[in-house]
Amino acid sequence: MRFRNLPVLGSILLATASPVAKGAITVTKDSGDFGYLYEMSTNPSGQDLDGNSTGDWFNATANGLTIPQTYSGGVAVSNQSAGTPETLFRTDYGGSITRNTLANANSPWTVEVSVRKTGGTQGADGWFGVAMQNPGASQSVRVNFEDDRVSYRTSPTNTDYLLGINFADGEFHTMRIAYEGSDSYFVWIDDTLLNTDLSTGFAGGNGSFNTGGSWFMGDFSGGIAGDWEVDYIRYDAGTAAAPVPEPGIILLGAIGVLALLRRRR
């Protein structure tokens, strides 16, 4: 695994990008604007990107949950055939990166993970999940990849988005979650915003599962099953960030505007 503590390059606002909302949501240049980047090639156990002399990742097994110990082709690989649920990113312990970098319930952050399904049968909540809670917060967020949709936990059930899209196609898909404080979350899947707009955050619907700043990624509940691979995880504390459209999308938008202007003439 190549571990880098990346400098935050700042925000670039484009007129053709999504509107910028009030609060901490900004439009970042690209995924390189994250403070911390984990690229999978070797076991992440014991890494300390925030430099506080404590490993960022939970690096043992407790209650049947472990960091994946199998790596292939530069990705972290789950191994459900072993019968042990594996959580790639787990920070429910003192000194972890989230407990060290997030001060309170309203501390903003952004996380992005690239993952693909490699096999197996999904569970009732899909094949890969992300659940996070700020220190001292009363609610947490939970988003799941399922074979043909993405689900957002709105207690006590899930709300489905992007129905009919094949997320079990063997390709890598990205999930970005941005938290701007005050129990307000924004979610992008492959750069598609699930929220109505950047002024309307989702409330955390997963309840409180650990008020000390606990984050889980991967298979962390009985409702998640199947094998998966993670390519990278990006994390930034202090900024709730929205991705900008790809250059091709921006170009198409510009062409569309010009076409409308010509039609009006």
Side-chain angles (χ1 to χ4, degrees):
M1 176 177 289
R2 291 171 290 163
F3 295 89
R4 287 184 286 166
N5 190 336
L6 300 179
V8 179
L9 303 179
S11 300
I12 294 180
L13 305 183
L14 300 177
T16 51
S18 300
V20 179
K22 294 179 291 185
I25 292 289
T26 59
V27 181
T28 57
K29 179 181 179 182
D30 55 30
S31 295
D33 288 344
F34 283 71
Y36 304 97
L37 168 62
Y38 303 87
E39 290 183 335
M40 309 302 158
S41 60
T42 59
N43 195 314
S45 299
Q47 296 298 318
D48 179 24
L49 295 193
D50 54 343
N52 68 336
S53 301
T54 302
D56 297 343
W57 310 64
F58 188 87
N59 59 358
T61 300
N63 299 322
L65 298 175
T66 66
I67 290 177
Q69 301 297 306
T70 304
Y71 291 79
S72 174
V75 295
V77 184
S78 72
N79 183 18
Q80 296 304 321
S81 61
T84 303
E86 293 159 298
T87 300
L88 177 66
F89 194 57
R90 179 178 178 180
T91 62
D92 57 326
Y93 64 95
S96 67
I97 191 168
T98 52
R99 292 191 179 184
N100 187 46
T101 59
L102 301 177
N104 53 52
N106 292 316
S107 298
W109 49 262
T110 306
V111 67
E112 182 179 277
V113 58
S114 174
V115 61
R116 67 179 175 182
K117 186 180 180 184
T118 58
T121 302
Q122 70 173 0
D125 291 323
W127 51 268
F128 186 89
V130 176
M132 306 182 182
Q133 183 171 359
N134 273 50
S138 60
Q139 290 286 332
S140 63
V141 63
R142 176 172 172 179
V143 186
N144 305 309
F145 271 124
E146 302 188 34
D147 285 348
D148 62 348
R149 69 196 66 195
V150 172
S151 58
Y152 184 92
R153 177 60 56 89
T154 51
S155 184
T157 59
N158 295 332
T159 299
D160 294 332
Y161 295 89
L162 306 179
L163 275 73
I165 295 181
N166 184 8
F167 291 108
D169 58 0
E171 301 295 327
F172 281 102
H173 297 277
T174 61
M175 177 191 298
R176 180 186 290 205
I177 305 173
Y179 177 64
E180 65 171 2
S182 301
D183 193 34
S184 181
Y185 300 89
F186 295 82
V187 182
W188 291 261
I189 302 298
D190 294 334
D191 289 344
T192 297
L193 178 66
L194 301 190
N195 306 64
T196 302
D197 52 49
L198 285 179
S199 297
T200 309
F202 290 148
N206 199 43
S208 176
F209 67 90
N210 188 317
T211 57
S214 178
W215 290 20
F216 290 82
M217 295 185 188
D219 183 340
F220 53 83
S221 79
I224 302 175
D227 292 329
W228 41 262
E229 296 178 350
V230 167
D231 182 32
Y232 68 79
I233 294 174
R234 295 182 171 112
Y235 165 63
D236 194 66
T239 302
V244 301
E246 294 293 332
I249 297 176
I250 294 175
L251 179 60
L252 287 174
I255 292 173
V257 170
L258 290 174
L260 287 174
L261 290 175
R262 289 188 62 184
R263 184 174 182 182
R264 286 185 177 181
R265 287 184 178 181

